Amino acid sequence: KITTKDTSAKTHWFETASEISAEPASEEGEEKSLRVKNTIYATNRTEDIVKGYDLKLKDNRFTPEVYALIDGGTLTKDEETGLYSYAAPVAGAPVRRTKFDLTIYMEEKEGEEVTGYTEITWPSCTGKPISPTFQDNEFFAPELNISSRAPAATSPMVISQVTALPET
């Protein structure tokens, strides 16, 4: 689920990514010691601070709407066929990518029965340019990169248990 943060504040539902990894983006703290010869008398330490997350989504399908939101290009629909095409942003021109919140859902199971879902939300996301790879005799499975940087005094990731998926 992608909820845009622009003036149109719209939620988009996609059944798409097969794998997501989240790497914390942090500002590393420092450690300084008051040392005289072989003795440490005091230590000043600052902790690492998480600013947000760098997300990588592996997608097993080409979903033009997702490309347009993440990469910032143009989505076009052929009215006769109903098929979409996607054009990346114009080379050399500035790109204004739409900010969004990214929410994913994972099934929780007991045996074969779904008992609930884990919901994970990353706020204030911005897509990065798409860099697809193509390999002969392999399925097209692009990776989409997203940067999530939470506003001040906001959690950079929220994990919740829910009993059902929201209605779309």
Side-chain angles (χ1 to χ4, degrees):
K1 173 174 94 169
I2 295 176
T3 305
T4 58
K5 303 296 242 173
D6 61 7
T7 55
S8 64
K10 185 176 177 184
T11 299
H12 305 271
W13 289 89
F14 302 104
E15 200 171 309
T16 179
S18 61
E19 184 179 323
I20 296 177
S21 64
E23 186 71 31
S26 59
E27 187 76 31
E28 290 196 26
E30 295 180 358
E31 186 172 295
K32 293 183 181 181
S33 298
L34 173 60
R35 180 179 175 155
V36 178
K37 296 187 181 184
N38 288 330
T39 304
I40 295 176
Y41 290 97
T43 302
N44 283 335
R45 182 182 341 164
T46 57
E47 298 295 326
D48 294 349
I49 298 173
V50 174
K51 301 182 291 185
Y53 285 86
D54 292 322
L55 309 168
K56 186 178 291 188
L57 286 68
K58 185 172 182 183
D59 197 348
N60 284 339
R61 297 180 350 170
F62 170 62
T63 310
E65 300 93 335
V66 173
Y67 274 57
L69 282 168
I70 291 177
D71 195 32
T74 305
L75 182 66
T76 307
K77 182 177 182 180
D78 184 316
E79 294 304 322
E80 283 185 28
T81 64
L83 299 176
Y84 288 94
S85 65
Y86 170 72
V90 175
V95 179
R96 186 175 181 273
R97 290 182 173 84
T98 302
K99 282 207 172 283
F100 57 91
D101 291 344
L102 176 66
T103 303
I104 64 166
Y105 296 90
M106 297 174 295
E107 290 181 339
E108 294 178 6
K109 289 185 163 188
E110 263 186 44
E112 292 184 13
E113 183 180 333
V114 176
T115 59
Y117 299 87
T118 299
E119 174 189 81
I120 305 174
T121 300
W122 290 276
S124 298
C125 294
T126 305
K128 294 185 176 186
I130 293 173
S131 53
T133 56
F134 307 95
Q135 187 175 350
D136 189 28
N137 222 14
E138 291 292 327
F139 291 107
F140 177 60
E143 288 185 354
L144 309 172
N145 295 296
I146 297 171
S147 173
S148 170
R149 298 296 182 267
T154 304
S155 179
M157 178 177 60
V158 177
I159 303 173
S160 306
Q161 289 182 312
V162 295
T163 57
L165 294 173
E167 294 195 23
T168 57

